[in-house]
């Protein structure tokens, strides 16, 4: 079998899909994208596919190494996201060849379903109690919310108190067993993050996420001294080499690699296994489309330390199109009691609605993340 061609589709709300074709009529789908840089990743995919045309799609490990080591410059968000989507599509092809879900080819499942959480509150958290209660009523057992809006290096403590009040209200309304995760989104710097982590400690959060930017991960040790809440990070880390020192430092409890950013199924399976050796849990990042979620669930199924899965149904970014619009059978992602079954169809376990993909690609998108400024006019972390 040989790879004969590929197509990319930029589709709303902010996604990039990839289809890889073979000379035996079997095709596979992937989702290589950096939110806000879809066209850049599209170009990287096109450049990498020059190496893959005519190759055997079943030699996934070899093709991964070819894409990664075949270029002098490597790593980073764009190149690793391009590799990720191509890798997903190759696994989708291989599963279809053997008429088996990817998790069977990775050694088989160690669980039947995966716990999922739902986003609430938007970029600047509002109506979080109402939204949390709605998600609980819909069957979710956990939610995640952004902690704050813009935060200066040293900011007013009333912003910290406002965050704490929101979290306290959710805890009181939803009960002690309900999972609450608070995403700092890298918006806070060390002085404010340290204090906020301490103030949130009494509310027994599921985790705090990205309390500082990943380039400042050395600060996590100091933050960990001020809280017993599990610390999560990793959505802006892109390879096992990025995670190596984080795991060795022993200050993170949950890592969050993104299977559309961190080298795909091949690389993330290795990252998950590395984390297990350090007794660290995994909660994959995935505010993306159905192909990315399917890829996550295939690896979650085989990974003992995967504890909860992010998913984008109803997320505030999905304006106009949502997670289920691009697949033929939405029931494959039917959530029940806060869990979703692992897709068991061949390959990634979903069937992409190609006709709808082509229709929506005609309009495409040019999604960009907001650019925020502080009151003094300086750029704020979004």
């Amino acid at each position: 079998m040989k790879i004969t061609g590929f197509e990319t589709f930029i589709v709303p709300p902010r996604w990039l899909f990839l289809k890889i074709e073979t000379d035996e009529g079997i095709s596979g789908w992937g989702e290589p994208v950096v939110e806000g840089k879809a066209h850049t990743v599209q170009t990287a995919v096109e450049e990498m596919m020059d190496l893959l045309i005519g190759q055997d799609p079943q030699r996934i490990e070899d093709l991964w190494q070819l894409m990664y080591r075949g270029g002098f410059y490597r790593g980073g968000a764009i190149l690793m996201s391009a590799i990720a989507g191509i890798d997903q599509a190759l696994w989708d092809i291989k599963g279809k060849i053997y008429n088996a879900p990817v998790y069977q080819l990775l050694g088989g499942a160690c669980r039947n379903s995966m716990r999922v959480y739902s986003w609430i509150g938007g970029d600047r958290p509002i109506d979080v109690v109402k939204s949390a209660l709605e998600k609980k009523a819909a069957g979710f057992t956990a939610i995640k919310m952004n902690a704050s809006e813009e935060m200066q290096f040293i900011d007013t403590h009333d912003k910290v108190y406002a965050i704490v009040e929101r979290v306290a209200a959710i805890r009181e309304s939803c009960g002690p067993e309900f999972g609450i995760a608070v995403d700092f989104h890298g918006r806070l710097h060390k002085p404010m993050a340290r204090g906020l982590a301490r103030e949130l400690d009494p509310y027994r959060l599921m985790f705090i996420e990205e309390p500082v930017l990943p380039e400042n991960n050395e600060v996590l040790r100091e933050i960990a001294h001020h809280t017993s809440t599990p610390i999560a990070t990793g959505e802006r880390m892109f390879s096992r080499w990025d995670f190596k020192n984080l795991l060795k430092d022993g200050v993170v409890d949950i890592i969050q690699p993104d299977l559309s950013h961190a080298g795909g199924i091949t690389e993330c399976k290795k990252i998950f296994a590395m984390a297990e050796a350090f007794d660290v849990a995994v909660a994959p990042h995935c505010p993306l489309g159905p192909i990315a979620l399917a890829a996550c669930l295939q690896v979650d199924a085989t990974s003992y330390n995967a504890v909860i899965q992010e998913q984008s149904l109803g997320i505030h970014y999905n304006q106009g199109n949502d997670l289920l619009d691009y697949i033929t059978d939405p029931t494959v992602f039917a959530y029940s009691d806060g869990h979703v079954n692992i897709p068991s169809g061949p390959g990634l376990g979903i069937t992409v609605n190609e006709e709808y993909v082509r229709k929506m690609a005609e309009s495409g998108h040019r999604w960009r993340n907001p650019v925020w400024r502080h009151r003094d006019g300086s750029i704020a972390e979004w």
Side-chain angles (χ1 to χ4, degrees), residues 329-369:
D329 180 12
T331 64
V332 73
F333 294 135
Y335 302 140
S336 177
D337 297 325
H339 285 69
V340 63
N341 290 332
I342 308 299
S344 58
L348 295 178
I350 61 171
T351 300
V352 173
N353 186 337
E354 185 171 339
E355 181 180 357
Y356 188 74
V357 168
R358 292 184 181 278
K359 176 183 175 183
M360 299 311 296
E362 292 176 2
S363 55
H365 69 82
R366 291 190 68 83
W367 187 87
R368 298 292 185 267
N369 63 251

Side-chain angles (χ1 to χ4, degrees), residues 31-32 44 119 136 149 200 206 215 230 235 240 278 293 317 337 343 345:
E31 193 170 333
W119 262 94
K136 183 177 181 180
E149 48 188 29
L200 290 174
M206 188 166 57
E215 50 263 45
E235 69 186 63
R240 75 199 91 151
F278 288 89
L293 179 58
Y317 305 120
D337 297 325

Side-chain angles (χ1 to χ4, degrees), residues 37 49 53 63-64 68 92 95-96 112-113 133 157 222 224 289 304 346 378:
K37 296 289 187 290
M49 287 302 298
I53 298 298
L63 296 182
W64 196 98
Y68 184 81
D92 196 29
K96 291 171 181 175
N112 299 321
S113 65
L133 288 170
H157 283 281
E222 184 175 348
Y304 179 77
S378 61

Side-chain angles (χ1 to χ4, degrees), residues 104-177:
Q104 292 288 18
L105 306 182
L106 295 175
C110 65
R111 59 173 49 85
N112 299 321
S113 65
M114 189 67 193
R115 191 183 183 197
V116 293
Y117 66 81
S118 185
W119 262 94
I120 65 168
D123 273 344
R124 290 185 170 93
I126 57 172
D127 296 330
V128 290
V129 174
K130 177 175 179 287
S131 296
L133 288 170
E134 288 172 351
K135 298 301 182 182
K136 183 177 181 180
F140 287 98
T141 62
I143 55 90
K144 187 169 80 176
M145 57 179 278
N146 276 316
S148 69
E149 48 188 29
E150 302 92 332
M151 291 282 274
Q152 283 277 20
F153 270 84
I154 303 295
D155 216 318
T156 59
H157 283 281
D158 61 340
K159 287 189 177 182
V160 172
Y161 297 145
I163 296 166
V164 173
E165 286 175 1
R166 285 192 290 268
V167 172
I170 294 173
R171 174 59 71 214
E172 182 178 356
S173 299
C174 294
E177 301 302 318

Side-chain angles (χ1 to χ4, degrees), residues 119 146 183-187 209-210 213 235-236 317 382:
W119 262 94
N146 276 316
D183 189 355
F184 288 35
H185 220 252
R187 293 173 183 169
E209 179 174 336
E210 271 197 333
L213 292 167
E235 69 186 63
R236 288 185 270 191
Y317 305 120
W382 170 74

